[in-house]
Structure formats: C-alpha cells, structure tokens
Amino acid sequence: MEMTDAQLWAAALAVLLPPVIAIVNQPRWSGAVKGLFMILVAAGDGMGTAYFNDSFTGKSVVTCMLTAVLVIGVAYHTLWRPSGIAPGIEAATSTGGRPSGPTSV
C-alpha cells in the first residue's frame, strides 16, 4: 500500500512534534495524561495535513491521524527520549515544584 501525500506530510511533521509536546507536558503528569495529550496533538496533525492536502475525507483523515500517532510514538522513543532532548525540555518548562527566582528566608 502506497502512502498518500497527506500521510507523508503527517509523518514528517510528527517526527518534529515530540519536542513541541514536551514544552507543554509536565514531569508530574501521569503517563495517561501525557499519552492523551500526544493523541490530541496527533489528531491535530492528521486533520491539518489532510485539510491542507485537499484530502479531508473520512478515511484520509483517520489514516493521517493514525500515522501521526505511530510516528510521534516511535520518534519519541527512538530519537527524542534517548537523546535527552525531550525530557530536558519537559524539565526546563516544568511549572511545578521549582522556585521561579531567588528566594530570601
């Protein structure tokens, strides 16, 4: 089965999305919440690429979203997490438990 242009664009964008997702994700969030957020981002990726490739039909949108989910997961676990980039971004943008500046006692 040959991939469509929309699916290829969804996959290409999905490789670059884990660091963007890491900006929003917080280390204190559960894995389920992080996974749900990733699925929402992948759905946006799939719908957007299908729309901009004039392929916004039922099957095309679903395959673009599924392609994005798969590629985001694989890219995160094989590239972005082992390199430390995504976890580093997540820790750097964490809003909980870190003081925002110098404190005096």
Side-chain angles (χ1 to χ4, degrees):
M1 179 169 67
E2 204 171 304
M3 292 182 76
T4 65
D5 286 345
Q7 292 167 339
L8 290 171
W9 276 109
L13 181 59
V15 170
L16 304 174
L17 284 174
V20 176
I21 293 169
I23 292 170
V24 177
N25 277 348
Q26 298 293 302
R28 66 182 182 279
W29 290 358
S30 70
V33 172
K34 290 179 181 183
L36 179 61
F37 182 68
M38 184 271 296
I39 289 172
L40 291 173
V41 170
D45 176 10
M47 287 189 291
T49 54
Y51 177 79
F52 287 112
N53 281 282
D54 294 325
S55 301
F56 203 75
T57 62
K59 183 180 177 183
S60 180
V61 172
V62 171
T63 57
C64 285
M65 288 190 293
L66 292 175
T67 299
V69 166
L70 180 67
V71 173
I72 288 172
V74 169
Y76 177 76
H77 288 289
T78 60
L79 174 66
W80 297 106
R81 186 174 68 176
S83 69
I85 294 171
I89 292 170
E90 197 172 293
T93 59
S94 175
T95 59
R98 279 190 337 171
S100 59
T103 58
S104 58
V105 179

